């Protein structure tokens, strides 16, 4: 395409300059004894580089805006100075002239727009980097078949396929450069990161895929009473054109409009949190981009339950799914937490795929052991009463250890964190007194009660077997090993019965006290002071809770089959 080579070279020039600057300051200057210069200027340099990339992305459009938004969520591999700057990127670009939109839509649909639709508003409803949306009305025969007339017509930007290919080629080239730098390759698998982004991008520019996501969401989650989604007009949908019912209503964060409609914003906040947790911990298929522009509150006449409104979700290009392959690692994580075993927890995290194989985990094992020792026996209410300075002290002691490790979360983990973060922010905007922890606690307890103790019994049997094996080891040696793991060398000799009692207590409070509480609440508290470490701690809380839910679903299905 015209200008394609220039675009490719411009991306490479920016990347080469950023890599050269990083090499000079982070590798060359320290070897010359000038590490202080590099340390002193690091924050400013990173901000300037991120700002220049943001300007480049806005100027080029296309996939580069998505690159910036994707990188803004990668707190596991990028410093907060970069992610904070990239978070300001908005996917809003100048609209494509309507004649070009008309030509592409007609070529895709195979008929003139005047035949396909009764009317199309030439003014764009929204213009983004990959596509553009217009309001329209279905032709009478299509409207009679669909049962509605008002629709939204989404059309890809002309030439976006070629732009995406150029941008991905440039990104793969840059990833190849970085994979040859040991300090980078030990920390991040750049080629895998680019391929992960390429997969996400290909899904977003395939409107048939988005339409299928919308129908799956409707089948799995949208019950009509509490949650809805737009219907797809398949006769007017292709890979580059998407036609769906116009479900525009009250924007979910429009507090004034909600109150004018007689809807309590605090109730909306509570219900929205429950809806998102139903998605995350139900069958694991969830909307991964629940920002205010993608959710409406739709008033309706009172139903049988007395409800007068429901949520309506739109834009299903970014969806998350908890992979089945995570279960083995999650089981190992749960058992390790039950036994307060830092080494076992690290092994489980590695099996899940959060840590790269190059990780030296000795210090992380010690950090997790200390975390369990300090916060592991606390319940929800106790954790909320902990002085925030204790979390900050823990971050000061172990934050650098965690940041130095090659964490690289799988895409689905990041989507879970993104969904939780957006949910918390939206609910807090609706109700300043909203505490997501209060929403999590009863939900998690209900899930555990529905599971009927299956997970606890399973973990208990395995942990009891491990303890019976340990009983054969002299108590003094076992305690000495535990003290060594914690970095202390005093020797104590508690009885085996006392150790079994503590383990049984830990099993009874598995999710409510040891695992989800300590890591998730601690992560929320830490994010205010250290975004990277806080996000990592939050992410560590996700697998065990998901395991408990997924295992519960599996056990219920097995019982129903029997």
């Amino acid at each position: 395409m015209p200008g394609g080579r220039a675009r490719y070279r411009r991306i490479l020039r920016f990347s080469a300059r950023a890599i050269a600057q990083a090499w000079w300051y982070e590798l060359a200057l320290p070897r010359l004894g000038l590490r202080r210069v590099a340390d002193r200027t690091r924050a400013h340099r990173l901000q300037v580089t991120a700002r220049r990339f943001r300007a480049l992305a806005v100027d080029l459009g296309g996939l580069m805006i998505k690159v910036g938004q994707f990188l803004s969520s990668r707190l596991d591999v990028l410093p907060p100075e970069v992610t904070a700057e990239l978070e300001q990127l908005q996917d809003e670009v100048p609209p494509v002239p309507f004649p070009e939109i008309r030509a592409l839509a007609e070529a895709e649909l195979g008929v003139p727009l005047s035949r396909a639709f009764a009317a199309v508003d030439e003014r764009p409803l929204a213009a983004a980097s990959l596509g553009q949306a217009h309001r329209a009305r279905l032709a009478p025969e299509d409207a009679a078949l669909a049962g509605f007339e008002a629709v939204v017509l989404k059309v890809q930007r002309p030439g976006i396929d070629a732009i995406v290919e150029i941008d991905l080629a440039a990104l793969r080239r840059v990833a190849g450069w970085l994979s040859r730098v040991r300090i980078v390759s030990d920390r991040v698998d750049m080629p895998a990161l680019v391929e992960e982004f390429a997969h996400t991008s290909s899904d977003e520019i395939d409107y048939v895929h988005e339409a299928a996501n919308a129908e799956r969401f409707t089948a799995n989650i949208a019950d009509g009473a509490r949650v809805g989604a737009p219907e797809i007009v398949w006769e007017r949908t292709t890979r580059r054109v998407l036609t769906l019912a116009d479900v525009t209503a009250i924007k979910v964060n429009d507090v004034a409009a909600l109150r004018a409609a007689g809807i309590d914003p605090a109730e909306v906040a509570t219900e929205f949190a429950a809806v998102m947790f139903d998605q995350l911990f139900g069958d694991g298929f969830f909307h991964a981009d629940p920002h205010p522009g993608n959710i409406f509150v739709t008033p309706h006449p009172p139903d049988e339950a007395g409800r007068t409104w429901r949520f309506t979700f739109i834009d299903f290009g970014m969806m998350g799914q908890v992979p089945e392959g995570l279960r083995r690692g999650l089981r190992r994580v749960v058992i390790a937490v039950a036994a307060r075993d830092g080494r076992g927890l690290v092994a489980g995290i590695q099996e899940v795929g959060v840590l790269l194989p190059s990780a030296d985990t000795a210090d992380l094992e010690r950090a997790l052991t200390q975390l369990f020792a300090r916060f592991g026996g606390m319940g929800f209410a106790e954790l909320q009463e902990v002085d925030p300075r204790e979390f900050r002290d823990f971050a000061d002691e172990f934050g650098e250890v965690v940041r130095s490790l090659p964490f690289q979360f799988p895409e689905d983990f990041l989507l879970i964190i993104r969904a939780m973060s957006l949910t918390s922010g939206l609910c807090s905007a609706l109700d300043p007194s909203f505490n997501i922890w209060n929403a999590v606690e009863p939900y998690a307890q209900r899930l555990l009660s529905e599971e009927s103790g299956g997970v606890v019994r399973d973990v208990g049997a395995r942990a009891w077997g491990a303890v019976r094996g340990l009983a054969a080891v002299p108590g003094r040696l076992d305690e000495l090993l535990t003290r060594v793991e914690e970095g202390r060398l005093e020797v104590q000799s508690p009885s085996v019965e006392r150790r079994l009692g503590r383990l049984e207590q830990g099993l009874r409070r598995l999710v409510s006290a040891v695992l989800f509480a300590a890591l998730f609440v601690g992560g929320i508290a830490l994010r205010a002071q250290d975004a990277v470490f806080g996000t990592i701690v939050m992410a560590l809380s996700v697998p065990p809770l998901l395991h408990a839910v997924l295992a519960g679903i599996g056990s219920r299905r097995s019982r129903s089959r029997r």
Side-chain angles (χ1 to χ4, degrees):
M1 62 173 294
R5 185 171 295 276
R7 180 186 184 92
Y8 178 82
R9 287 175 175 171
R10 194 171 170 193
I11 296 171
L12 292 187
R13 279 198 303 269
F14 174 88
S15 303
R17 177 180 178 180
I19 293 171
Q21 184 187 66
W23 176 86
W24 174 251
Y25 281 97
E26 303 301 334
L27 295 178
L29 288 185
R31 290 180 180 178
L32 296 173
L34 299 174
R35 182 180 296 276
R36 290 184 179 180
V37 175
D39 292 343
R40 187 171 61 250
T41 61
R42 181 175 294 111
H44 176 70
R45 284 187 288 106
L46 291 173
Q47 287 176 338
V48 169
T49 300
R51 196 171 298 129
R52 286 174 178 163
F53 177 82
R54 183 158 60 91
L56 176 73
V58 170
D59 188 31
L60 291 179
L63 204 57
M64 299 313 292
I65 289 180
K66 293 294 183 182
V67 171
Q69 293 176 327
F70 176 78
L71 293 176
S72 72
S73 69
R74 300 302 311 227
L75 293 171
D76 54 327
V77 298
L78 290 174
E81 293 86 357
V82 173
T83 57
E85 188 70 34
L86 296 181
E87 282 173 356
Q88 301 176 44
L89 265 176
Q90 300 297 317
D91 194 2
E92 298 175 359
V93 298
V96 175
F98 187 72
E100 296 182 36
I101 293 293
R102 178 193 296 274
L104 190 150
E106 290 180 345
E108 283 290 308
L109 296 175
V111 296
L113 282 188
S114 57
R115 276 189 56 192
F117 299 94
V120 178
D121 188 349
E122 296 188 7
R123 295 169 300 177
L125 179 64
S129 59
L130 302 183
Q132 192 161 300
H134 294 260
R135 281 197 169 96
R137 287 188 293 110
L138 290 175
E141 58 274 18
D142 288 337
L145 186 63
F148 53 87
E149 181 185 47
V151 295
V152 171
L153 176 66
K154 289 180 64 175
V155 182
Q156 281 186 14
R157 295 179 78 89
I160 193 63
D161 283 334
I163 291 174
V164 167
E165 286 302 314
I166 291 167
D167 291 354
L168 287 177
L171 292 173
R172 289 184 175 110
R173 181 80 177 273
V174 174
W177 293 345
L178 292 173
S179 66
R180 296 186 182 94
V181 181
R182 183 173 179 180
I183 193 173
V184 175
S185 62
D186 285 348
R187 182 69 176 85
V188 185
D189 186 347
M190 286 302 301
L193 197 64
V194 170
E195 293 309 316
E196 184 179 287
F197 175 69
H199 176 73
T200 302
S201 302
S202 67
D203 286 347
E204 287 201 54
I205 61 174
D206 183 352
Y207 286 162
V208 171
H209 180 79
E210 180 176 341
N213 280 342
E215 292 209 333
R216 181 180 174 187
F217 181 89
T218 300
N220 289 12
I221 296 130
D223 54 11
R226 196 171 59 149
V227 180
E231 292 187 47
I232 305 299
V233 184
W234 283 103
E235 295 78 9
R236 297 290 180 251
T237 294
T238 71
R239 197 178 79 83
R240 294 181 175 86
V241 174
L242 173 62
T243 305
L244 63 164
D246 187 351
V247 293
T248 306
I250 301 172
K251 204 171 180 179
V252 69
N253 65 341
D254 190 341
V255 174
L258 291 172
R259 287 178 174 150
I263 301 171
D264 182 6
E267 182 184 355
V268 173
T270 301
E271 284 291 312
F272 183 66
V275 164
M276 289 305 300
F277 288 135
D278 280 343
Q279 296 175 46
L280 286 166
F281 306 132
D283 71 347
F285 184 67
F286 61 95
H287 197 297
D289 195 23
H291 65 73
N294 285 341
I295 301 105
F296 295 111
V297 173
T298 305
H300 59 73
D303 58 19
E304 295 179 358
R307 294 184 61 89
T308 59
W309 57 271
R310 68 172 176 267
F311 294 108
T312 303
F313 284 73
I314 63 171
D315 194 350
F316 300 93
M318 186 184 296
M319 303 296 291
Q321 177 67 61
V322 181
E324 292 292 329
L326 285 178
R327 294 192 180 191
R328 289 188 303 273
L330 299 181
R331 180 180 297 274
R332 191 168 184 176
V333 167
V334 169
I335 294 174
V337 172
R340 302 186 188 181
D341 176 8
R343 178 176 298 173
L345 179 54
V346 170
I349 293 169
Q350 287 177 312
E351 188 169 343
V352 167
V354 171
L355 279 173
L356 295 183
S358 60
D360 181 0
T361 59
D363 287 337
L364 179 61
E365 291 170 10
R366 188 168 66 90
L368 290 173
T369 303
Q370 293 281 14
L371 179 69
F372 290 145
R374 175 62 187 91
F375 304 112
M378 294 186 176
F380 290 170
E382 293 173 296
L383 281 167
Q384 293 183 66
E385 297 299 322
V386 172
D387 190 334
R389 287 176 294 186
E390 290 199 44
F391 290 119
R392 287 198 295 270
D393 290 344
F394 185 86
D396 290 341
E397 184 175 357
F398 295 107
E400 189 59 38
V401 169
V402 174
R403 283 192 295 272
S404 67
L405 289 170
F407 278 99
Q408 187 164 313
F409 299 127
E411 175 69 5
D412 289 294
F413 268 25
L414 290 172
L415 292 179
I416 291 169
I417 295 299
R418 174 184 174 83
M420 284 186 169
S421 298
L422 288 173
T423 298
S424 178
L426 175 55
C427 292
S428 297
L430 288 167
D431 178 10
S433 64
F434 177 84
N435 185 339
I436 196 170
W437 190 243
N438 293 334
V440 170
E441 179 178 6
Y443 190 85
Q445 290 176 344
R446 177 165 61 85
L447 287 172
L448 286 176
S449 65
E450 290 175 355
E451 197 275 332
S452 302
V455 169
V456 174
R457 287 194 302 271
D458 181 61
V459 173
R462 291 173 177 268
W464 186 271
V467 171
R468 288 178 62 189
L470 289 175
V473 180
R476 290 180 180 274
L477 176 58
D478 180 68
E479 184 63 21
L480 175 61
L481 292 173
T482 300
R483 293 295 179 178
V484 169
E485 286 185 352
E486 295 177 356
R488 294 175 292 153
L489 295 178
E490 299 120 337
V491 177
Q492 297 178 6
S493 55
S495 67
V496 173
E497 289 77 9
R498 197 180 313 140
R499 291 173 60 81
L500 293 178
R502 286 202 302 269
L503 182 58
E504 289 174 332
Q505 182 181 19
L507 291 172
R508 288 194 301 269
R509 306 173 70 182
L510 178 60
V511 173
S512 63
V514 179
L515 176 58
F516 199 65
L519 297 179
F520 190 74
V521 174
I524 291 175
L526 288 171
R527 274 177 64 89
Q529 304 295 325
D530 189 323
V532 177
F533 187 54
T535 299
I536 290 171
V537 173
M538 285 178 64
L540 294 179
S541 76
V542 174
L545 183 57
L546 289 178
H547 170 268
V549 178
L550 293 173
I553 294 173
S555 63
R556 287 197 296 275
R557 288 176 177 171
S558 298
R559 288 194 296 270
S560 66
R561 286 196 296 268
R562 288 196 297 268

